[in-house]
Every structure is written in C-alpha cells, then in structure tokens.
C-alpha cells in the first residue's frame, strides 16, 4: 500500500492571493488607495490576485485552500506609520511575514503609500515562481503472512449407547422418608431408595447394587442406569 502527503508549503506553491477590500486598521474600503495598490504590487510580483468578496473563479470558490490570503498589520503613532505584510494559508498559518515598512510623512495618503511600498520590498526581494505542490509518495512494503491452520482435533470414537428395556414384575409401594421415598415390595422389603431433586417426579435412586434415576414419563415410572456401558431402562409399577 502507499501513503500520500505534501511537503511543507511555501508561497511558491500558490498561484492565487486574496486581498481584502478593507483593512482592519482602516475605516473605509480601499482607504488611501491601499487595497488597490496592494493588489497591483502582488500582480507585479506574479500572483493572480482577487478581492476576497468578489465572484471568484470556480477553482478557488470550490477550494479556498488553493489561495493565499493577504493581511496587513497597521500601527500608527504621532510620528510614523508602520505596516507589516503577511501571507497566510487557508488554515491561518503565516507562510510569509515581511519587514515593517515605515513612513514619517504627515499626510496620511502619502504616509500609508510609502509605508506599504517599503513593506513590500522584502517580498520583492524573495524569488517567486509558481510551482504546484507535488505529492510525496512513500512506498510501504506489503508483508504476506502465511498462516498454517491447526490440525483438526483428534476425534475420540463415540460409543453407541443402546437401551435395554427391562420390566420389573410386581407393584412397589412408596413410603415417605425425610429425603424422599423408599419403595417396598409385598415381602415387605426395600427395593429402591429415592432421593428428591429439584425436578418434580425425578429422583436419584439406588437399589443397593446399582445407582441411577427414577422418573415419571407419560404416566409411567422408569428406573434408568448403566450396565457395562449400556443404558438400561426398567419400567416400574409404583403406588404413592
């Protein structure tokens, strides 16, 4: 894959400059003819210049970041007029700041004109040739990683469980105990001991030799247990 970017911009990467029709330190548009003079001096430098509140070409109107914005810092005292030229990008970053132009003329129009021309001398001394910003391509090697899938898990043979159905002859009678019931035959002899679980009609059971479960299914009782890895289900006749 590749990464694209741009080197740090300079004024040479810009063809267009936007000039305000009124500077913030003055009260009127184009006061003392400063805005028109600014536009002319930029034109002489080689820029294509537009006022910022006029109809702009589509290229700039759709993307103001293709143009620089000119600003002038004005500072006046009783004895002098001081102007400083700034060129900013669309994010407000200053790409050029000129030296301070000064004038001690008493007439404002002359004083501002002289100070502006002196402020522009530092820009005029800077070589300018429009060079569009070029993208910097940084190639990033693509590393291909081959992932070997893990071997399939070892399948443990599953034993097929068959069910042997046995029916116990004779009726068993349930006698309640503290933990469940005991089932006795007519001898009387205890045939099963049943322990209660949280499920109704479902008991942990033992007949003294084998442990399993006794449960009710479809109104019939069954005793299920395993014998030689084979599930045995004995049907019981129980009276509670």
């Amino acid at each position: 894959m590749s990464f694209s970017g741009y080197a740090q911009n300079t004024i040479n990467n810009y063809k267009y400059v936007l000039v305000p029709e009124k500077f913030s330190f003055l009260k009127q548009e184009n006061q003392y003819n400063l805005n028109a003079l600014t536009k002319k001096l930029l034109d002489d430098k080689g820029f294509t210049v537009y006022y910022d509140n006029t109809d702009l070409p589509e290229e700039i109107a759709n993307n103001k970041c293709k143009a620089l914005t000119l600003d002038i810092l004005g500072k006046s005292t009783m004895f002098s007029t001081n102007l400083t030229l700034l060129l900013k990008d669309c994010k407000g970053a200053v790409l050029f700041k000129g030296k301070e132009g000064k004038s001690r003329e008493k007439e404002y129009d002359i004083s501002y004109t002289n100070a502006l021309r002196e402020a522009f001398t530092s820009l005029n001394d800077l070589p300018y040739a429009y060079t569009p910003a070029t993208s910097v391509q940084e190639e990033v090697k693509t590393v291909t990683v081959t992932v070997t899938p893990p071997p399939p898990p070892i399948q443990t043979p599953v034993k097929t469980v068959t069910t042997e159905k046995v029916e116990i002859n004779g009726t068993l009678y349930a006698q309640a105990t503290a933990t469940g019931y005991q089932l006795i035959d007519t001898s009387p002899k205890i045939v099963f001991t049943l322990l209660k679980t949280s499920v109704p009609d479902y008991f942990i059971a033992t007949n003294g030799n084998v442990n399993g479960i006794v449960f009710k299914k479809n109104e019939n009782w069954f005793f299920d247990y395993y014998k030689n890895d084979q599930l045995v289900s004995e049907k019981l006749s129980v009276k509670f």
Side-chain angles (χ1 to χ4, degrees), residues 4 11 18 36 40 49 62 65 140 148 152 172 177 189 193 209 235 238:
S4 296
I11 63 170
L18 301 180
K40 179 182 182 305
V49 188
N62 293 336
C65 287
V140 180
T148 303
L172 301 176
T177 64
K189 181 181 70 175
T193 300
N209 298 317
K235 186 176 181 180
V238 182

Side-chain angles (χ1 to χ4, degrees), residues 73-131:
L73 302 179
K75 183 177 64 175
S76 297
T77 66
M78 292 179 60
F79 305 104
S80 67
T81 299
N82 308 298
L83 301 178
T84 302
L85 174 67
L86 300 177
L87 289 173
K88 303 178 183 179
D89 65 13
C90 62
K91 296 180 180 179
V94 177
L95 300 188
F96 174 83
K97 181 178 181 179
K99 68 178 183 180
E100 189 176 57
K102 297 181 180 181
S103 175
R104 296 183 180 274
E105 293 288 339
K106 294 182 180 180
E107 297 293 334
Y108 283 129
D109 55 345
I110 299 175
S111 181
Y112 275 111
T113 298
N114 291 346
L116 182 65
R117 288 186 178 277
E118 184 178 351
F120 260 89
T121 58
S122 54
L123 179 63
N124 294 334
D125 293 339
L126 184 68
Y128 169 75
Y130 173 57
T131 306

Side-chain angles (χ1 to χ4, degrees), residues 176-214:
T177 64
T179 56
Y181 295 92
Q182 59 184 17
L183 303 183
I184 62 174
D185 59 15
T186 57
S187 299
K189 181 181 70 175
I190 298 175
V191 180
F192 289 100
T193 300
L194 308 183
L195 301 178
K196 293 179 181 179
T197 67
S198 59
V199 180
D201 296 334
Y202 192 99
F203 301 91
I204 299 171
T206 180
N207 64 0
N209 298 317
V210 180
N211 297 324
I213 57 172
V214 169

